[in-house]
């Protein structure tokens, strides 16, 4: 039997080619994921270890410390420890860099860091030199490139009080693996200058170098004893490991996300394998019956099919691993071209990747072939005497209908409960689980659904393509079980792509409406990083601009409120036409001296409602008791959580500067003219950032479009595998129907008509899979959005949904090109004789 099985594989290599390709792609994607993330992790670990070699001991802020800094007085204590060769403190804080346009660069302040000297220096100067004097600075290479700075230029940086300081740029440096510095940009100074610019009283960390011959662990113990509690002391090696682990957490999320798509691809591949072996077993009925006649047992026939699947799985898995190596290397090349710094030293193929790829590929293939193998054991020896394989007629058994009904009811019930419960993470997962259970019900019910669906999908082709069209539609419904298993693979891909499209479209509409509520102004001027304030003169200047209809200034501070004396953000806004916060209870029209409006979340924490008295501790008037006249939704309002009238605020807290300014444009004024007016007023204030509602919506839409493109690309693999399944099924079906096709040719069907018949059959199968997938995707896309947020505005992307159906049908036709061509080329006489 072993020789017979292997001989059969050699004789019929082509019949398993597309099946092998499906497994290869699935294993390749999973292996490529591991190759990509393992290579990145290995590169990061080596880079961290190389940096840690320069330090022996590091002192960090304690986990329970209130201050995220190491006290500066510990530096001298550590210096006096025996075995210390050198010790330096690392200063880090915020120091906004002023660009050539006079404005602070970026959405957040540039980070300021101290550049260490000697052996402890871990900063790589890529151009020029390190700062040696107080008036010298270095800039990270990426910021210098994007902002047009070069060595020798004079750069302006703001200190912690907002005062300007000029420095000579003496060098550029690489931020390396520090993602925080890469995001914010960085300016480097001497340690003393960095402390003055940032206003930091302590250090981000203290690095220690050991004297020659002193072990790092010994020095760690000595330093730990000297500094006492409140800080954390680690060896350089342990510090590097912790940094690598922290970075590994990011790669783990990436790995899990990509593996999810990989397992979807493998599931689709399993469906393709099951269908392929099912058809192969049916086609080889006479062959297996002959084996039974000459003495093969049921067990040997079963083992023959399982062995065949194992060989296919083994070969496909090896090819998949090679494909994964290529995919991983390609992904790294793409990442490097985007400008992201990813340290790599060659593609990493870990033993785990090989093991997972091989086991997964073989197991999925063998498991998918078990049911067809079991069916093979039922072939009776008498079947060898039949001149033609009998086609099994499908009957929907009671058991199938009962199980399908149970799964559909359970899935619908779980989903309905999740939607009715309300938004939440657990509800979202519940809706996803309901979708998975419902899909199993659809999978079981698939053969029952094929006939009515083929009537719908084939209505136009039946009338449009004449006799070939009618034959094609009849063929698609003649073997419902095979048609259902052929289309279900495509259903998975289309359902997921539809679900993602519905999600993004609905989120776009929902958050667009929420943005209109939360940002009911045309322009907002806020401090870079949303921390700090600017003089009231800016708002006064904006009010004089003829392009603007109204200007609202927001002021805020932290103050104790309520019986427990917890701190809340207390603030006010200057009234203006067109700006009226919406109250959920009470009215802002009653916000007069001695009253207060409270956000919903703050009201819960304070335990107050409209009409209650709220004690607030002020800096000028001590404790005052204010009457709550309005409650509002904090998520939908721009004002502070505890808002008092603007006159009262000045009396309670003094004439504080503005924290943010909102401006509405006059009707008929061009957007670019209004923008220029706002920017001109904000120009004298370097950290004042101008944000428009149009920009916010554009950024949100861009992010959604990017997400949709990435996810659709990843799901494309599952769709490709499902199309391979359709091509494989048609190819095997053409082989199975060789005599039938020849008889149709003999009766007058031309070669083009035969090709058309098979193409239309593939078209109908593709549309059936797409229709079921679209229905599932739309329903569970709605369920998912309903459990993600409140106030959902459901948006059906009709254009995309129709495109999915059309593309699925077209892809089915393309998948049928080669099988149809092969059938049309076959000799009529030879095909009839073969039957």
């Amino acid at each position: 039997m072993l020789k017979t099985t292997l001989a059969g594989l050699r004789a019929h290599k082509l019949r398993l080619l597309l099946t092998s390709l499906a497994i290869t792609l699935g294993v390749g994607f999973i292996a490529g994921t591991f190759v990509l993330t393992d290579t990145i992790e290995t590169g990061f670990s080596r880079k961290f270890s190389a940096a840690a070699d320069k330090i022996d001991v590091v002192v960090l802020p304690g986990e329970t410390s209130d201050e995220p800094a190491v006290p500066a007085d510990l530096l001298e204590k550590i210096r006096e420890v025996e075995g210390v060769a050198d010790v330096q403190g690392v200063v880090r804080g915020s120091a906004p860099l002023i660009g050539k346009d006079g404005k602070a660069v970026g959405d957040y302040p540039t980070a300021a860091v101290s550049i260490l000297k000697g052996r402890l220096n871990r900063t790589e100067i890529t151009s020029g030199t390190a700062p040696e004097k107080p008036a010298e600075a270095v800039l990270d290479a990426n910021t210098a490139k994007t902002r047009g700075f070069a060595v020798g230029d004079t750069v302006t940086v703001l200190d912690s009080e907002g005062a300007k300081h000029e420095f000579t740029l003496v060098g550029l440096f690489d931020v390396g693996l520090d993602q925080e510095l890469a995001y914010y940009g960085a300016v480097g100074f001497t340690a003393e200058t960095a402390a003055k610019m940032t206003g930091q009283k302590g250090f981000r960390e203290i690095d220690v170098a050991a004297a020659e011959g002193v072990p790092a662990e010994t020095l760690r113990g000595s330093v730990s004893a000297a500094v006492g509690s409140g800080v954390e002391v680690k060896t350089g090696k342990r510090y590097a490991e912790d940094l690598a682990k922290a970075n590994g957490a990011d790669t783990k999320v990436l790995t899990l996300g990509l593996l999810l798509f990989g397992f979807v691809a493998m599931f689709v591949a399993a469906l393709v394998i099951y269908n392929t072996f099912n058809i192969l077993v049916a086609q080889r009925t006479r062959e297996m019956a002959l084996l039974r006649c000459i003495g093969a047992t049921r067990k040997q026939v079963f083992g023959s099919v399982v062995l065949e699947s194992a060989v296919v799985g083994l070969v496909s898995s090896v090819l998949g691993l090679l494909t994964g190596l290529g995919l991983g290397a390609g992904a790294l090349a793409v990442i490097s071209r985007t400008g992201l710094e990813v340290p790599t030293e060659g593609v990493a193929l870990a033993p785990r990747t090989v093991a997972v790829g091989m086991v997964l590929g073989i197991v999925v293939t063998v498991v998918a072939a078990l049911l067809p193998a079991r069916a093979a054991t039922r072939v009776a020896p008498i079947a060898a005497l039949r001149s033609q394989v009998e086609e099994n007629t499908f009957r929907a058994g009671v058991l199938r209908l009962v199980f399908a009904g149970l799964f559909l009811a359970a899935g619908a019930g779980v989903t309905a409960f999740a939607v009715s419960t309300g938004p939440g993470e657990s509800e979202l997962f519940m809706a996803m689980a309901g979708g998975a259970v419902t899909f199993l019900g659809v999978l079981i019910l698939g053969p029952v659904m094929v006939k009515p669906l083929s009537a719908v999908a084939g209505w136009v082709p039946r009338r449009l393509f004449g006799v070939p069209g009618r034959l094609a539609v009849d063929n698609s419904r003649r073997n419902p079980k095979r048609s259902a298993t052929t289309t279900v693979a495509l259903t998975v891909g289309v359902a997921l792509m539809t679900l993602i499209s519905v999600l993004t479209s609905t989120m776009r509409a929902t958050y667009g409406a929420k943005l209109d509520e939360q940002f009911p102004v045309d322009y907002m001027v806020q401090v870079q990083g949303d921390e700090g304030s600017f003089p009231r003169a800016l708002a006064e200047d904006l009010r004089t601009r003829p392009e603007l209809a109204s200007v609202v200034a927001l002021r805020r501070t932290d103050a104790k409120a309520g019986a427990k004396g917890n701190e809340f953000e207390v603030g006010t806004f200057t009234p203006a036409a067109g700006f009226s916060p919406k109250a959920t209870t009470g009215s802002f029209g009653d916000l007069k001296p001695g009253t207060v409006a409270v956000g919903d979340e703050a009201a819960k924490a304070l335990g107050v409602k409209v009409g209650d008295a709220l004690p607030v501790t002020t800096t000028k008037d001590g404790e005052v008791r204010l009457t709550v006249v309005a409650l509002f939704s904090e998520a939908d309002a721009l004002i502070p959580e505890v808002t008092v009238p603007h006159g009262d605020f000045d009396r309670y807290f003094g004439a504080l500067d503005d924290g943010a300014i909102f401006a509405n444009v006059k009707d008929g004024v061009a957007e670019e003219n209004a923008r220029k007016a706002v920017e001109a007023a904000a120009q004298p204030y370097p950290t004042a950032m101008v944000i428009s509602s149009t920009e916010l919506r554009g950024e949100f839409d861009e992010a959604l479009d990017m997400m949709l493109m990435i996810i659709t690309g990843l799901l494309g693999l599952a769709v490709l595998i499902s199309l391979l399944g359709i091509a494989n099924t048609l190819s095997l079906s053409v082989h199975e129907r060789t005599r039938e096709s020849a008889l149709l040719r003999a009766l007058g069907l031309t070669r083009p008509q035969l090709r058309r018949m098979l193409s239309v059959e593939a078209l109908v199968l593709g549309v059936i899979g797409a229709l079921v997938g679209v229905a599932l995707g739309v329903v569970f896309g709605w369920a998912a959005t309903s459990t993600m947020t409140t106030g959902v505005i459901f948006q059906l992307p009709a254009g995309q949904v129709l495109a999915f159906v059309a593309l699925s049908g077209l892809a089915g036709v393309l998948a049928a090109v080669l099988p149809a061509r092969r059938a049309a080329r076959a000799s009529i006489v030879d095909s009839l004789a073969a039957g």
Side-chain angles (χ1 to χ4, degrees), residues 611-635:
D612 289 349
L614 176 65
V616 178
T617 303
T618 68
T619 54
K620 300 288 185 181
D621 286 3
E623 183 176 288
V624 294
R625 296 184 67 81
L626 307 175
T627 302
V628 179
V629 294
L631 300 182
F632 59 90
S633 170
E634 291 177 27

Side-chain angles (χ1 to χ4, degrees), residues 537-548:
L538 173 54
E540 295 301 326
D541 186 359
L542 286 168
R543 289 189 181 99
T544 65
R545 304 280 171 165
E547 296 87 352
L548 304 179

Side-chain angles (χ1 to χ4, degrees), residues 111-115 131 136-140 167 170 173 186-190 194:
V113 295
S114 59
I115 306 297
E136 293 179 343
V138 291
L139 191 60
D140 77 276
F167 298 90
V170 295
F173 69 97
V187 188
F189 306 101
T190 61

Side-chain angles (χ1 to χ4, degrees), residues 301-313:
V301 171
F302 179 84
S304 171
V305 178
V306 170
L307 176 61
E308 192 172 311
S309 67
V311 172
V312 172

Side-chain angles (χ1 to χ4, degrees), residues 556-579:
R556 55 202 170 199
T557 187
D558 290 331
K560 292 180 179 179
K564 295 179 181 178
N566 294 329
E567 278 205 347
F568 291 86
E569 186 181 65
V570 180
T572 189
F573 62 92
T574 54
F579 183 83

Side-chain angles (χ1 to χ4, degrees), residues 249-261:
D250 294 334
T251 58
K252 282 182 178 64
V253 172
L254 174 65
T255 304
L256 288 173
L258 290 175
L259 284 180
L260 179 63
F261 292 99

Side-chain angles (χ1 to χ4, degrees), residues 558-618:
D558 290 331
K560 292 180 179 179
K564 295 179 181 178
N566 294 329
E567 278 205 347
F568 291 86
E569 186 181 65
V570 180
T572 189
F573 62 92
T574 54
F579 183 83
S580 178
K582 188 185 296 183
T584 55
T585 309
S587 170
F588 273 91
D590 297 328
L591 191 62
K592 297 171 182 176
T595 63
V596 64
V598 184
D600 48 9
E601 295 298 324
K604 284 182 185 176
L606 290 164
V608 296
K609 59 184 183 299
V610 172
D612 289 349
L614 176 65
V616 178
T617 303
T618 68

